[in-house]
DNA sequence: ACCTGAACACCGTTCAAGT
DNA sequence: ACCTGAACACCGTTCAAGT
């Protein structure tokens, strides 16, 4: 890549970062180009879709979250590792208002520039879930995609100004639901207490 | 209202119903006007905002849901009444893809044409919740707005094609979380079993 | 190689002009 | 009273023309 092109790219990316922080991920691409003193076509040549722009912008954060999941896997108890990683994920999305909808779409669209990152994130969460299930501290009838969906739900909640004040409490409610040990059939099994 | 105006209004409303069913609540208003063989300005005079159009379209369903909550209050057990009403609410929104975001915005915006209906709906849910809490079958640290938020979360999940297949399972997960009897401090109270 | 203005087909809003 | 076409200020996409 030519030096001037690289400079343009980096500058657009920096401007996009502040614009998205201010207005959310649906901010007008024309507006970003204007604020970067660059033609709209130039922006689109570097980042052909909104997702591509976001991918470049979020890659670092994505990698960080994935790495943190790996560390938690050995450093914390299965329960703490899972719950506090979930909390980190939800908290992270609040910095990019509206990103949840794009991630939900990307997780099943291999064409999306965000696809790979979302799949990696889901896999990291799935490992923490499996570990917690093996330890008997997480319900056994959910999988990594369910966890991804629960994160998405809670992140979406934080994006809605009217409901955001409830996001923390409802995180706890959902977390407690994941942690109710035992399977979903507990009620049918009439007190199957372990005889110690 | 003049007879021709009424006819126009009703026709626009019917066309809007099918258009929204096909494409979701974000469908182009211009498109609705075109399909109704009416000027766009005419549509906007009858329904000055997208919310006003939806309000007219959803009023019947809203009233029905509210009424059903009232009936359940006397006909079913506190637990069944709450859970099956929640299920009805979530199922209902799937008919209007994207309506959840508008409802979440409307619940705190008195200017929105959907505001009154959303507030009424929340109140209906709050009564069912209070009844369940009084019976000791629902956790006591949530209120009507939390229930509204949980419905919104689950409805939003159903709107995302990639996550919709998990909506039913996660409804059960969330419902079980609401029904975990006792307060959020249960874990701190070291086995407070009732001595029968 | 890289950039850009301009044309394009959309959107919702507004309003003067018609019946 | 009610309706409407047209103008307006936006949007993302595309591409021929410039450096």
């Amino acid at each position: 890549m030519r030096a001037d092109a690289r400079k343009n790219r980096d500058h657009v990316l920096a401007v996009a970062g502040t614009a998205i922080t201010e207005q959310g991920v649906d901010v007008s691409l024309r507006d970003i180009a204007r604020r970067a003193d660059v033609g709209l076509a130039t922006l689109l040549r570097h980042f052909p879709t909104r997702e591509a722009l976001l991918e470049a912008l979020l890659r670092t954060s994505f990698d960080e979250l994935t790495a943190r999941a790996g560390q938690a896997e050995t450093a914390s108890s299965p329960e703490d590792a899972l719950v506090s990683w979930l909390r980190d994920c939800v908290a992270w999305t609040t910095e990019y208002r509206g990103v949840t909808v794009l991630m939900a779409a990307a997780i099943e669209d291999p064409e999306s520039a965000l696809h790979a990152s979302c799949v990696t994130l889901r896999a990291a969460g799935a490992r923490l879930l499996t570990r917690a299930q093996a330890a008997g501290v997480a319900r056994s009838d959910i999988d990594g995609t369910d966890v991804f969906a629960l994160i998405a739900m809670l992140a979406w909640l934080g994006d809605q100004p009217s409901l955001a004040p409830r996001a923390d409490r409802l995180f706890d409610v959902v977390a407690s639901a994941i942690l109710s040990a035992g399977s979903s059939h507990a009620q049918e099994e009439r007190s199957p207490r372990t005889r110690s």
Side-chain angles (χ1 to χ4, degrees), chain A residues 71-85:
Chain A
Q71 291 158 12
E73 218 165 336
T74 58
S76 309
S77 74
E79 181 172 330
D80 284 354
L82 178 60
V83 173
S84 63
W85 187 77

Side-chain angles (χ1 to χ4, degrees), chain A residues 43-108:
Chain A
L43 182 151
L44 289 171
R45 226 171 53 81
H46 284 298
F47 309 103
T49 64
R50 187 182 296 275
E51 282 77 14
L53 177 59
L54 275 168
E55 203 277 336
L57 212 51
L58 304 185
R59 165 156 295 290
T60 309
S61 309
F62 265 122
D63 292 346
E64 206 175 314
L65 276 172
T66 305
R68 206 176 301 178
Q71 291 158 12
E73 218 165 336
T74 58
S76 309
S77 74
E79 181 172 330
D80 284 354
L82 178 60
V83 173
S84 63
W85 187 77
L86 294 181
R87 202 187 305 274
D88 288 346
C89 285
V90 174
W92 166 70
T93 64
T94 64
E95 294 176 45
Y96 300 91
R97 190 152 28 97
V99 76
T100 318
V101 174
L102 296 179
M103 287 177 62
I107 190 79
E108 270 212 344

